[in-house]
Amino acid sequence: MDLKNIFAEIVANDALHARWLNTLSLMENTGARKISASEDPATVTYIILKHAAEEHRHAFYLKKQIEKIEAVNCPTYAPEYLLAATHSKRYLNQLDIDVCRYLKDKLDLHGKELRFSAYLLVTYAIEVRADELYPVYQDVLTGALSKVNVKSIILEEEGHLEEMINQLQQFSADWQVHADKAVAIEARLFEAWVESLSKEINTAA
Ligand SMILES: [Fe+2]
Ligand SMILES: [Fe+2]
């Protein structure tokens, strides 16, 4: 099943849709916490603070969108309120682990340097994904005349990708090689996540 079909099935079913919004909220929150955790208390910049604040806002905004779906409640990130709970919780952590391993093996990075470069590459890969995923979801929402919308997130995610590219250009002359590697690592994890999502939707249908 491709993304558009998966989203169409989700949006057509209120219970699934609420859990989907909650799942996106969880993933945004995981991203936000990861950015905050990688901040160096002394050298953290305006752009990193802005990015962390916006990802935290996305988590809250998506949670708030659930209120637009009547009679369904997802009070916490407990597995019963999520879709593909295991994969959704694992996706970002595994991406971080795999990218860190790559950076250690390829560039022999450690400590602060490793933390900062992992932040750049992991976040870049996620922003590439977000720029693909949210517009497809928004198209389905618009087509279904849903009250839910993610347009403000799309706008900010586009800004994030540009900001990540700027930071990567300053970080390394051959940033694209490493960024492509991060995107390839992410693509495998994303595929597994989509498969798990699609299985769960088929069982629910
Ligand atoms: Fe986000
Ligand atoms: Fe973002």
mmCIF file of all heavy atoms in Angstrom, residues 51 55 58 127 157 160, ligand 2:
data_model
loop_
_atom_site.group_PDB
_atom_site.id
_atom_site.type_symbol
_atom_site.label_atom_id
_atom_site.label_comp_id
_atom_site.label_asym_id
_atom_site.label_seq_id
_atom_site.Cartn_x
_atom_site.Cartn_y
_atom_site.Cartn_z
ATOM 1 N N HIS A 51 14.610 25.595 16.212
ATOM 2 C CA HIS A 51 14.211 24.283 15.701
ATOM 3 C C HIS A 51 13.595 23.428 16.806
ATOM 4 O O HIS A 51 12.528 22.837 16.622
ATOM 5 C CB HIS A 51 15.454 23.602 15.096
ATOM 6 C CG HIS A 51 15.120 22.463 14.206
ATOM 7 N ND1 HIS A 51 16.001 21.913 13.335
ATOM 8 C CD2 HIS A 51 13.977 21.766 14.074
ATOM 9 C CE1 HIS A 51 15.419 20.914 12.684
ATOM 10 N NE2 HIS A 51 14.182 20.804 13.113
ATOM 11 N N GLU A 55 9.708 22.004 16.893
ATOM 12 C CA GLU A 55 9.367 20.568 16.953
ATOM 13 C C GLU A 55 8.491 20.282 18.184
ATOM 14 O O GLU A 55 7.560 19.483 18.116
ATOM 15 C CB GLU A 55 10.619 19.690 16.977
ATOM 16 C CG GLU A 55 11.545 19.825 15.767
ATOM 17 C CD GLU A 55 10.919 19.539 14.406
ATOM 18 O OE1 GLU A 55 9.707 19.266 14.322
ATOM 19 O OE2 GLU A 55 11.654 19.627 13.410
ATOM 20 N N HIS A 58 5.082 21.279 17.226
ATOM 21 C CA HIS A 58 4.417 20.305 16.351
ATOM 22 C C HIS A 58 3.791 19.181 17.179
ATOM 23 O O HIS A 58 2.672 18.751 16.900
ATOM 24 C CB HIS A 58 5.405 19.688 15.347
ATOM 25 C CG HIS A 58 5.974 20.693 14.388
ATOM 26 N ND1 HIS A 58 7.027 20.416 13.563
ATOM 27 C CD2 HIS A 58 5.625 21.983 14.137
ATOM 28 C CE1 HIS A 58 7.307 21.488 12.830
ATOM 29 N NE2 HIS A 58 6.477 22.455 13.177
ATOM 30 N N GLU A 127 13.990 15.691 8.150
ATOM 31 C CA GLU A 127 13.358 16.819 7.457
ATOM 32 C C GLU A 127 13.041 16.464 6.005
ATOM 33 O O GLU A 127 12.004 16.867 5.480
ATOM 34 C CB GLU A 127 14.245 18.070 7.522
ATOM 35 C CG GLU A 127 14.458 18.629 8.925
ATOM 36 C CD GLU A 127 13.165 18.981 9.660
ATOM 37 O OE1 GLU A 127 12.125 19.131 9.010
ATOM 38 O OE2 GLU A 127 13.215 19.078 10.899
ATOM 39 N N GLU A 157 8.456 22.876 8.453
ATOM 40 C CA GLU A 157 9.372 21.792 8.071
ATOM 41 C C GLU A 157 10.200 22.187 6.841
ATOM 42 O O GLU A 157 11.367 21.833 6.738
ATOM 43 C CB GLU A 157 8.624 20.479 7.794
ATOM 44 C CG GLU A 157 7.825 19.898 8.956
ATOM 45 C CD GLU A 157 8.636 19.490 10.189
ATOM 46 O OE1 GLU A 157 9.823 19.837 10.303
ATOM 47 O OE2 GLU A 157 8.045 18.812 11.056
ATOM 48 N N HIS A 160 12.951 24.158 8.077
ATOM 49 C CA HIS A 160 13.935 23.326 8.778
ATOM 50 C C HIS A 160 14.917 22.671 7.805
ATOM 51 O O HIS A 160 16.104 22.602 8.078
ATOM 52 C CB HIS A 160 13.242 22.216 9.572
ATOM 53 C CG HIS A 160 12.439 22.731 10.718
ATOM 54 N ND1 HIS A 160 11.553 21.951 11.419
ATOM 55 C CD2 HIS A 160 12.396 23.955 11.285
ATOM 56 C CE1 HIS A 160 10.992 22.689 12.361
ATOM 57 N NE2 HIS A 160 11.477 23.901 12.302
HETATM 58 FE FE FE B 2 11.361 19.781 11.535
#
